[in-house]
Amino acid sequence: MQYSRNSFLKTLGLGGLLATSSVLTASPFKDLLGASHTGTEARSLTLGLASYSTRKFSLDETLAMANRLNLKQIALKSMHMPLESSEEEIQSITAKFNKAGINLYGAGVIYMKTAQEVENAFRYAKAAKMKMIIGVPNHDLLHLVEMKIKETNIKLAIHNHGPGDEVYPTPEVVYNKIKMLDSRIGLCIDVGHVQRLGLDPVKNIKKYADRLYDVHLKDVDKSEADGKSVEFGRGVLDIPAVLKALKGINYSGVMAMEFEKDTDDVFAGLAECVGYVNGALDAMK
């Protein structure tokens, strides 16, 4: 059965967003919408990967999957490069990124419960030449974090973890703790966790736009604490509205996909999510 571009968009629930501009670094092959994505189109949003999504796979497998999906930005989780790695080990691992043509823009989520863990996180990121740590420092360590940021010029994006998180459950809690600190301390808004709290991810993106440095992009099956990760477009989160909000604030960071379903066979789900975002962004004015 043949589908037109517009009928496919309607199937995705994007019938009201009918336009043709491409704003995403997309795959070099033709997608299901029939549009050829070569990465040469004008773009203002960048889709990447949080490697927690591929935690059951090796780094080599993760890089191969990212390249198949043309996800050229990765934030690395510690199972792919242990936090205790020496500088030599880190250099060996980052060389794989250079060979694969993928940018290791950050790492996380990194928890920092002691001063030593703060020191090590910045040592780790500096050795890997990362621009950002996606982290969760204890409140009493924020001034030490600020000192390390001034010393290294590495940004910190604090990640909200939603229901059950006693440290940073919401973007509001993060913002209130950092608003008087160095501006290089900002937020990583996890839209899925915001949705699970019954809050509006779009409103949070707009409200904290001035300190939004990273986004974990996901969909969940319900707006409750026990909501689970699902393929984009199958859940309750309004992904097109999130993308529109990010475009509207001129967001310049990475939208890191964090797909937590089917961890033993994650590629098909990731591919579906990438295709959904490509279609949504192609449909945006």
Side-chain angles (χ1 to χ4, degrees), residues 129-181:
K129 298 181 180 179
M130 297 173 186
K131 296 184 181 298
M132 183 183 303
I133 295 169
I134 298 96
V136 178
N138 280 9
H139 297 165
D140 62 329
L141 295 169
L142 283 170
H143 285 292
L144 175 58
V145 166
E146 185 177 38
M147 289 174 56
K148 297 303 296 182
I149 285 170
K150 291 177 178 178
E151 177 186 317
T152 63
N153 197 33
I154 296 171
K155 286 183 177 180
L156 174 74
I158 298 180
H159 181 277
N160 64 283
H161 266 111
D165 180 6
E166 297 180 356
V167 186
Y168 300 106
T170 67
E172 181 181 19
V173 171
V174 177
Y175 191 84
N176 287 339
K177 288 292 182 182
I178 68 169
K179 61 186 178 182
M180 302 305 293
L181 299 178

Side-chain angles (χ1 to χ4, degrees), residues 36-165:
S36 178
H37 295 287
T38 63
T40 61
E41 301 91 345
R43 55 192 183 271
S44 61
L45 293 174
T46 301
L47 187 61
L49 178 67
S51 85
Y52 185 71
S53 305
T54 57
R55 58 193 176 277
K56 296 289 186 70
F57 295 84
S58 69
L59 176 60
D60 290 342
E61 291 168 327
T62 295
L63 292 172
M65 281 190 273
N67 263 331
R68 286 180 69 188
L69 297 170
N70 203 32
L71 300 175
K72 297 297 187 180
Q73 305 285 336
I74 288 184
L76 208 57
K77 187 63 178 173
S78 56
M79 71 278 298
H80 293 127
M81 186 166 74
L83 292 171
E84 63 273 13
S85 298
S86 67
E87 185 166 344
E88 291 75 17
E89 290 168 332
I90 290 172
Q91 290 175 354
S92 176
I93 290 169
T94 56
K96 294 185 176 184
F97 281 81
N98 295 333
K99 184 176 181 180
I102 294 174
N103 181 42
L104 176 57
Y105 79 90
V109 174
I110 298 178
Y111 296 89
M112 302 173 225
K113 298 181 180 180
T114 67
Q116 183 177 359
E117 288 177 345
V118 172
E119 295 283 353
N120 186 62
F122 280 88
R123 174 202 68 85
Y124 174 90
K126 183 178 179 181
K129 298 181 180 179
M130 297 173 186
K131 296 184 181 298
M132 183 183 303
I133 295 169
I134 298 96
V136 178
N138 280 9
H139 297 165
D140 62 329
L141 295 169
L142 283 170
H143 285 292
L144 175 58
V145 166
E146 185 177 38
M147 289 174 56
K148 297 303 296 182
I149 285 170
K150 291 177 178 178
E151 177 186 317
T152 63
N153 197 33
I154 296 171
K155 286 183 177 180
L156 174 74
I158 298 180
H159 181 277
N160 64 283
H161 266 111
D165 180 6

